[in-house]
Amino acid sequence: MPGFSARPPAIASLLVDDAVVGVTRWDFEPGAATGHHTHGLRYVVVPMTDCSFLIEGPDGESRAFSRAGEVYRREAGVSHNVVNGGEQPMSFIEIEYK
Amino acid sequence: MPGFSARPPAIASLLVDDAVVGVTRWDFEPGAATGHHTHGLRYVVVPMTDCSFLIEGPDGESRAFSRAGEVYRREAGVSHNVVNGGEQPMSFIEIEYK
């Protein structure tokens, strides 16, 4: 379709998967996206680079910026598409608690 | 005491402390150490730099090397002193599960 441009997928690499946690590294080229998903587990995010987040959620778009190492935690139930809204590659590591 | 050289302390920065996790960033100059401690909680380590670990444990010294982003998890009960055994500064983020 002329003018149509789907977002490329972010690359997910499973680092740890045991009885306690699942740890996934996410690497995004500019414009890349995780795809829409709902978190079934609570999680911690460790930005490995500065991250310019474009978040597509149920209530629309929002933007957030986290510097490398600015860790945050979220409860289960978050539903969103996470996009690299910046001009540089970005990466974070997500630790889900089972 | 002539010839005595205590290790400098690693710098601990508390990033998150809530009902679920405690997240601490550890920054080490070469030769810096956490001091001997026993982990009361299970934990995940996210190396933010390449890390040349010198581990002083109950059974003696050992060395380990983790590249930045090489995440690992440990159970509660680990007892050790963690030293930067390399020539460069190193940093990791530790996520303890309450």
Side-chain angles (χ1 to χ4, degrees), chain B residues 17-94:
Chain B
D17 186 21
D18 65 17
V20 178
V21 297
V23 181
T24 305
R25 180 184 178 109
W26 289 91
D27 293 296
F28 300 70
E29 292 299 316
T34 58
H36 279 281
H37 61 282
T38 299
H39 284 266
L41 301 167
R42 56 196 178 178
Y43 62 102
V44 165
V45 169
V46 180
M48 301 301 287
T49 65
D50 291 353
C51 288
S52 291
F53 295 110
L54 169 62
I55 306 295
E56 297 179 339
D59 300 321
E61 284 187 4
S62 62
R63 286 183 177 268
F65 182 78
S66 294
R67 291 206 174 277
E70 282 186 351
V71 176
Y72 58 89
R73 191 179 72 77
R74 296 287 182 268
E75 296 295 338
V78 174
S79 186
H80 56 193
N81 182 27
V82 178
V83 181
N84 180 353
E87 303 293 323
Q88 301 296 326
M90 75 179 202
S91 301
F92 60 79
I93 289 175
E94 174 188 83

Side-chain angles (χ1 to χ4, degrees), chain A residues 33-74:
Chain A
T34 58
H36 279 281
H37 61 282
T38 298
H39 284 266
L41 300 166
R42 56 195 179 179
Y43 61 102
V44 165
V45 169
V46 180
M48 301 302 286
T49 65
D50 292 353
C51 288
S52 291
F53 294 110
L54 169 63
I55 307 295
E56 298 178 340
D59 300 323
E61 285 187 5
S62 62
R63 287 182 176 268
F65 182 79
S66 293
R67 292 205 174 278
E70 283 186 350
V71 176
Y72 57 89
R73 191 178 72 77
R74 296 288 182 269

